[in-house]
């Protein structure tokens, strides 16, 4: 990985929410979930795209965008905490550890999620980039995480339980629930680095294809993975009677589709981005469809 982006994100996050003003039980719960591991995919994608766009000022842009990237991981972690609650997916295990409401209690987990979401936006405004670029990226992120994006996707997911969805309905649900935040991480990397329209378009195409490949792989892992490796409960989708890619098209076709979307993600970069960060983005797409957790 160029410049150990994941390590940089990890280090940044480990210094977050140590503020004495935060009630200690709340900061303990926030840090418990935030620092429980995770691939740090969204912040790393944001940083790698920004670096690929910034070319000769990669170190400068990495430092400048890091607070924004960390904010994206906070939003992601909030969504996982709330998704695991008894009123939602009701999970006991996340990132290989007891879920936030199991380690603490339900009310604390709700507040920890609320606080991570709210404070994420405070973090993001600390990015050291021109204010018009920052404003645009903040707006894009609020939209991607909100009612027309991830929260809306979660609503469709809950409504879809026990129903037979069409492939088109499943695609829309996935685009919102999982795809929006991944796609947004890539687009914001380009926006924050003040990319050319061509670079921004390539980043959007890459993010969109990656988002679908990611969700198909997640559905496959729920069928074929084991709890210890995946780090969360498996066979959950079938138990909740959820429409998934393997349930609609079969396991083999789902694998083939994931590979195809991964290739399309890689191709979206061709002719626009080159160098180690572009290669890292290609490798990330390949790793995502071959992942075991
Ligand atoms: C509760 C508002 C609200 C939204 C929840 C993201 C989400 C919507 C639910 C998560 C459920 C889920 C397992 C979705 C599948 C894709 C996904 C987001 C997996 C987890 O992301 P990873 O693999 O996790 O990047 P790590 O732990 O590596 O960060």
């Amino acid at each position: 990985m160029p410049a150990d982006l994941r390590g940089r994100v990890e280090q940044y996050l480990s210094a977050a929410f140590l503020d004495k003003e935060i009630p200690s039980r709340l900061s303990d719960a926030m840090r418990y979930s935030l620092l429980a591991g995770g691939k740090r995919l969204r912040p790393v994608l944001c940083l790698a795209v920004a670096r690929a766009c910034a070319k000769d000022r990669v170190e400068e842009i990495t430092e400048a965008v890091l607070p924004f990237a960390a904010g994206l991981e906070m939003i992601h972690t909030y969504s996982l905490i709330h998704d695991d609650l008894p009123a939602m997916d009701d999970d006991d295990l996340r990132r290989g550890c007891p879920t936030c409401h199991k380690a603490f209690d339900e009310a604390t987990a709700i507040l920890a999620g609320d606080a991570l979401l709210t404070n994420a936006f405070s973090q993001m405004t600390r990015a050291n980039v021109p204010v018009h670029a920052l404003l645009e990226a903040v707006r894009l992120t609020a939209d991607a995480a909100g009612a027309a994006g991830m929260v809306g996707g979660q609503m469709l997911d809950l409504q879809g339980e026990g129903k037979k969805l069409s492939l088109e309905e499943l695609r829309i649900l996935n685009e919102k629930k999982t795809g929006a935040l991944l796609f947004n991480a890539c687009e914001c990397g380009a926006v924050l680095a003040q990319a050319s329209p061509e670079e921004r378009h390539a980043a959007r195409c890459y993010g969109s294809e990656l988002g679908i490949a990611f969700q198909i792989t997640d559905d496959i892992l729920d069928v074929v993975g084991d709890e210890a490796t995946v780090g969360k409960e498996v066979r959950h989708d079938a138990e909740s009677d959820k429409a998934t890619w393997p349930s609609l098209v079969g396991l083999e076709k789902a694998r083939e589709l994931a590979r195809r979307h991964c290739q399309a993600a890689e191709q979206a970069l061709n002719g626009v981005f080159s160098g180690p960060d572009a290669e890292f983005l290609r490798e990330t797409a390949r790793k995502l469809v071959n992942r075991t957790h």
Side-chain angles (χ1 to χ4, degrees):
M1 179 181 296
D4 185 19
L5 297 182
R6 185 175 172 185
R8 301 272 284 267
V9 171
E10 210 64 61
Q11 200 181 2
Y12 190 96
L13 292 174
S14 65
F17 308 122
L18 292 167
D19 188 342
K20 297 264 183 303
E21 297 288 312
I22 304 176
S24 59
R25 186 168 174 81
L26 181 58
S27 65
D28 287 350
M30 293 162 79
R31 286 174 57 79
Y32 171 81
S33 290
L34 191 61
L35 304 180
K39 296 181 282 297
R40 310 309 192 195
L41 185 58
R42 293 142 195 86
V44 163
L45 284 172
C46 180
L47 290 170
V49 169
R51 289 164 61 98
C53 296
K55 295 170 197 99
D56 54 347
R57 46 184 188 105
V58 284
E59 193 40 49
E60 190 190 317
I61 201 78
T62 308
E63 270 308 300
V65 172
L66 198 49
F68 191 95
L72 294 179
E73 185 66 21
M74 290 171 192
I75 296 177
H76 170 59
T77 303
Y78 124 77
S79 79
L80 299 180
I81 294 175
H82 280 196
D83 183 66
D84 291 335
L85 287 167
M88 301 259 177
D89 257 14
D90 194 10
D91 274 303
D92 293 350
L93 200 65
R94 170 67 67 182
R95 293 176 164 170
C97 302
T99 45
C100 194
H101 67 275
K102 287 283 167 193
F104 292 83
D105 57 74
E106 227 177 294
T108 305
I110 292 171
L111 292 176
D114 291 342
L116 280 165
L117 172 61
T118 318
N119 284 63
F121 284 92
S122 162
Q123 274 303 320
M124 288 188 277
T125 63
R126 289 168 214 195
N128 188 14
V129 298
V131 109
H132 68 90
L134 183 54
L135 259 182
E136 183 174 9
V138 166
R139 179 180 56 76
L140 288 170
T141 302
D143 288 345
M150 181 176 69
V151 175
Q154 181 76 350
M155 186 77 246
L156 295 177
D157 193 47
L158 293 174
Q159 286 177 318
E161 282 182 18
K163 292 203 184 115
K164 192 159 171 35
L165 299 189
S166 67
L167 265 184
E168 182 60 5
E169 286 170 324
L170 181 65
R171 192 186 56 75
I172 293 170
L173 186 164
N174 288 167
E175 250 173 37
K176 290 179 182 291
K177 188 181 91 164
T178 318
L181 220 54
L182 284 168
F183 171 87
N184 175 70
C186 299
E187 181 165 34
C188 285
V191 169
L192 294 168
Q194 297 175 82
S196 68
E198 195 192 17
E199 288 169 332
R200 183 165 168 177
H201 178 72
R204 285 168 60 92
C205 293
Y206 169 84
S208 155
E209 296 293 344
L210 191 82
I212 309 175
F214 179 86
Q215 181 62 57
I216 298 175
T217 308
D218 209 73
D219 287 355
I220 294 173
L221 283 178
D222 191 71
V223 179
V224 302
D226 67 280
E227 186 170 292
T229 317
V230 178
K232 62 179 182 181
E233 291 172 37
V234 290
R235 323 291 171 254
H236 210 76
D237 295 335
E239 275 165 30
S240 329
D241 201 11
K242 279 190 184 181
T244 64
W245 291 91
S247 74
L248 288 195
V249 301
L251 207 47
E252 271 325 300
K253 182 87 196 296
R255 285 196 173 109
E256 172 56 28
L257 278 174
R259 273 194 296 272
R260 256 197 261 157
H261 284 289
C262 164
Q263 278 165 6
E266 288 190 57
Q267 279 161 10
L269 305 174
N270 292 348
V272 182
F273 295 119
S274 56
D277 290 292
E279 193 39 49
F280 170 73
L281 289 168
R282 288 193 185 89
E283 197 185 304
T284 301
R286 289 193 291 271
K287 276 192 186 154
L288 275 186
V289 293
N290 293 318
R291 72 197 162 102
T292 53
H293 66 285

